[in-house]
Amino acid sequence: MYYVAMLTITDADLNAKIRPAHLDYINDLYKQGKVVMAGPFTDKKGGMVIYKASSEEEARELAEADPVIKEGARTLELREWGALEFPLG
């Protein structure tokens, strides 16, 4: 299953300080096959990570272990995502 983590910045200074650790963290998860895609929103108010996990609990554990969440620089909204497989029909 896929899970989308919306990461809204709540402390810009803290986020800037922790962002390198955040990028290392999601890059490591990508190499493990746990992150499918990730990136910032163009309005610079946060970003999104798409996790591939066997359960919501696993996805939540991965998302909550992200340094930007652990340190309180961003908030987390996690939702299960039913990705469509193309082509349809």
Side-chain angles (χ1 to χ4, degrees), residues 3 8 25 40-42 47 55 57 62 65 68-69 82-83 85 88:
Y3 297 86
T8 303
Y25 178 74
F41 295 120
T42 57
S55 67
E57 293 76 24
L62 294 171
V68 294
I69 299 302
E85 294 198 22
L88 298 176

Side-chain angles (χ1 to χ4, degrees), residues 18-40:
I18 296 172
R19 189 169 184 268
H22 160 71
L23 294 175
D24 287 344
Y25 178 74
I26 59 174
N27 190 53
D28 287 343
L29 290 178
Y30 175 82
K31 291 175 184 175
Q32 297 173 39
K34 297 292 184 181
V35 166
V36 178
M37 295 182 91

Side-chain angles (χ1 to χ4, degrees), residues 3-4 14 45 64 73 87:
Y3 297 86
V4 175
L14 182 58
K45 294 181 181 178
E64 289 178 348

